[in-house]
Amino acid sequence: MREAAVVATILKHAVPKAEVTASLDQVRETVTGVIADIRERGDEAVRAYSEKFDKWSPDSFRLTDEEVEKIVASVPQQVIDDIRFVQDQVRTFARHQLDSLREFEVETLPGVKLGQKHIPVQAAGAYIPGGRYPLTASAHMTIVTAKVAGVPRVVACTPPIHGEIPAATVAAMHLAGADEIWLLGGVQAVAAMSVGTDTMRPVNLIAGPGNAYVAEAKRQLFGEVGIDLFAGPTEILVLADDQADPFVCAVDLLSQAEHGPDSPAVLITTSREVAEQTIAEVERLLPGMPTRDFAGPAWRDHGQVHVVDSLDELYALADEFAFEHVEVLTAEPRLALERMTQYGALFLGEGTCVSFGDKVIGTNHVLPTRGAARYTGGLWVGKYLKTVTYQEVTDPGSQALLGRLCGRAARVELFEGHARSGDIRAAKAAGDELPWNTA
């Protein structure tokens, strides 16, 4: 029986879901048209959409090695040093993840060897958003992790920003180990990497966050190409008890709302006072934020504040949201590790903010949104690996045993061809008769 939903006092509502659905329908229609056009016209269509959406149409969208070196040389040394430091954190965590994956071979019966191997995909596409901001961190998360997994070819795409090359992002892509760097954004980048064009060979898997259009393009192309997960507009859920600082709650909610006007920012708290003060702090801080043009609409349309009666209800309601980022500002934040099951990433305690995960701490910031945390975690080294199996039977006794068993099991299912394959093994190994072989 399904448990009843938590009943909370809602001090701030988001826009009705119907409005969000209508907006997504428009996104879906646009993306379908762009992908179809790129399938038909290839590079010509890619260039047309880049001109339309990014005002960008160079002779080649792919940067040469010489161009990359020149761009990287223009980046201040402190920025380069910081990029290297953060990439070291991401690389270290990804290597620990890789070490946790075990290849094995086991003998289950005499001469029956079963094994498991992890094989990296041979080509991955890394999408690094950049329409609003130069998101260097997404280069770390997608490219460094792919290289730790052993992917031999990583194609990295990022859009220009207001017609300019995002030098720091290009530096991050290069230092992360990208094999190809393309100044190309949006649906046209995702489609080109997925289906290929005359100038870009297709990849096997697409990874990276993006806006609603990028997320929809990945959704539509999934199956033709692998994807990491559906990583759409950023979400933040702050969980607070009566000890939480409303000022911290407000700052952290706005830290994610600034990603874009469609980024949900939600507070669930056991304290009405904390809720009301947080709302007041948000309204006080918003006018002075340089990114208020994005954060303001996000809070207005997608901000929510819920008050519940207990921590049990707080965690239960948090799981119903199944949000990308969950920041736990309670007296005992590690309780969330025991109580919660549906989230992209947890940030435990006031000393740990979501922005650390976004920018510097080393865990991956490509995380599930729009409820996808109900069935998947975020991007990790395993997303770039194919876990495959192999089998070998060398013992005649086991060949006969399995052959006879296969014959019986297959015939129960009316698969005579399968049964005969088993019969032959038993005949070869132990001299069993083949009554169906009349030759």
Side-chain angles (χ1 to χ4, degrees):
M1 180 180 295
R2 184 177 179 182
E3 294 183 4
V6 175
V7 177
T9 301
I10 304 177
L11 301 190
K12 185 183 184 309
H13 291 265
V15 295
K17 184 172 287 188
E19 293 185 27
V20 177
T21 301
S23 175
L24 291 177
D25 287 343
Q26 185 272 323
V27 169
R28 188 171 296 117
E29 183 178 346
T30 299
V31 170
T32 299
V34 172
I35 292 175
D37 195 14
I38 290 174
R39 285 189 192 280
E40 182 177 348
R41 297 195 295 138
D43 286 323
E44 182 183 355
V46 168
R47 183 170 297 280
Y49 290 113
S50 182
E51 290 176 343
K52 177 180 179 179
F53 297 128
D54 292 324
K55 307 295 187 291
W56 183 254
S57 183
D59 292 337
S60 172
F61 291 103
R62 180 177 176 179
L63 295 177
T64 65
D65 292 344
E66 293 75 15
E67 289 172 324
V68 170
E69 290 177 8
K70 184 177 180 180
I71 292 168
V72 173
S74 73
V75 179
Q77 187 60 46
Q78 183 65 65
V79 174
I80 296 293
D81 292 344
D82 289 345
I83 288 173
R84 291 186 186 278
F85 177 87
V86 175
Q87 289 185 351
D88 281 345
Q89 311 315 302
V90 175
R91 189 174 292 108
T92 296
F93 191 73
R95 283 174 175 162
H96 280 292
Q97 289 181 322
L98 185 63
D99 289 343
S100 75
L101 296 170
R102 190 168 67 92
E103 294 188 346
F104 64 85
E105 181 175 281
V106 61
E107 189 172 13
T108 59
L109 292 168
V112 178
K113 297 176 181 178
L114 308 181
Q116 172 176 290
K117 287 178 58 67
H118 304 298
I119 302 175
V121 299
Q122 294 303 289
Y127 185 76
I128 294 89
R132 301 184 181 106
Y133 311 110
L135 291 181
T136 59
S138 289
H140 320 329
M141 307 301 174
T142 53
I143 302 168
V144 168
T145 308
K147 284 301 181 182
V148 170
V151 178
R153 174 176 171 247
V154 177
V155 179
C157 288
T158 196
I161 299 179
H162 307 303
E164 299 292 330
I165 296 173
T169 304
V170 171
M173 296 158 86
H174 172 67
L175 295 172
D179 299 287
E180 302 173 21
I181 297 176
W182 297 68
L183 289 180
L184 189 63
V187 178
Q188 59 270 26
V190 175
M193 288 190 287
S194 299
V195 307
T197 70
D198 288 340
T199 57
M200 183 188 292
R201 288 182 293 137
V203 300
N204 308 127
L205 180 143
I206 301 285
N211 62 17
Y213 292 90
V214 168
E216 175 61 19
K218 289 168 65 178
R219 189 192 69 81
Q220 291 192 21
L221 289 160
F222 176 57
E224 183 170 356
V225 66
I227 65 170
D228 51 354
L229 65 153
F230 297 118
T234 291
E235 303 165 342
I236 182 172
L237 175 60
V238 174
L239 307 181
D241 60 13
D242 59 357
Q243 302 300 307
D245 184 343
F247 178 58
V248 173
C249 293
V251 168
D252 290 350
L253 287 167
L254 291 175
S255 75
Q256 297 300 300
E258 74 177 356
H259 273 274
D262 51 359
S263 292
V266 177
L267 170 68
I268 304 174
T269 178
T270 56
S271 167
R272 188 180 185 97
E273 182 179 1
V274 168
E276 291 174 343
Q277 290 183 11
T278 297
I279 293 173
E281 288 287 357
V282 168
E283 299 301 334
R284 180 179 69 84
L285 292 167
L286 251 177
M289 283 190 71
T291 52
R292 61 185 175 274
D293 288 349
F294 297 140
W299 176 250
R300 179 193 68 216
D301 296 339
H302 302 283
Q304 299 182 48
V305 177
H306 298 252
V307 181
V308 294
D309 292 333
S310 67
L311 284 175
D312 286 342
E313 291 187 349
L314 178 140
Y315 291 126
L317 183 56
D319 264 351
E320 288 184 22
F321 274 93
F323 258 25
E324 175 188 21
H325 305 107
V326 180
E327 189 172 288
V328 187
L329 304 179
T330 62
E332 297 182 78
R334 292 183 70 87
L335 279 176
L337 290 170
E338 303 171 14
R339 304 289 186 86
M340 292 189 63
T341 60
Q342 299 188 154
Y343 54 85
L346 286 180
F347 301 83
L348 303 175
E350 188 179 88
T352 317
C353 59
V354 171
S355 295
F356 282 178
D358 278 351
K359 306 298 180 186
V360 297
I361 208 168
T363 49
N364 208 292
H365 80 190
V366 183
L367 298 166
T369 65
R370 292 186 178 146
R374 293 183 175 89
Y375 60 83
T376 186
L379 179 61
W380 69 298
V381 71
K383 290 285 188 179
Y384 293 100
L385 299 172
K386 300 174 291 181
T387 299
V388 298
T389 60
Y390 61 91
Q391 305 82 35
E392 182 182 28
V393 184
T394 58
D395 180 83
S398 293
Q399 290 171 356
L401 171 67
L402 293 173
R404 293 163 186 156
L405 178 61
C406 179
R408 295 194 300 270
R411 288 186 173 99
V412 169
E413 298 178 344
L414 307 182
F415 275 93
E416 181 63 23
H418 286 64
R420 292 180 179 187
S421 285
D423 293 347
I424 288 177
R425 271 65 193 181
K428 291 265 188 178
D432 287 21
E433 295 184 0
L434 300 175
W436 45 264
N437 183 22
T438 58

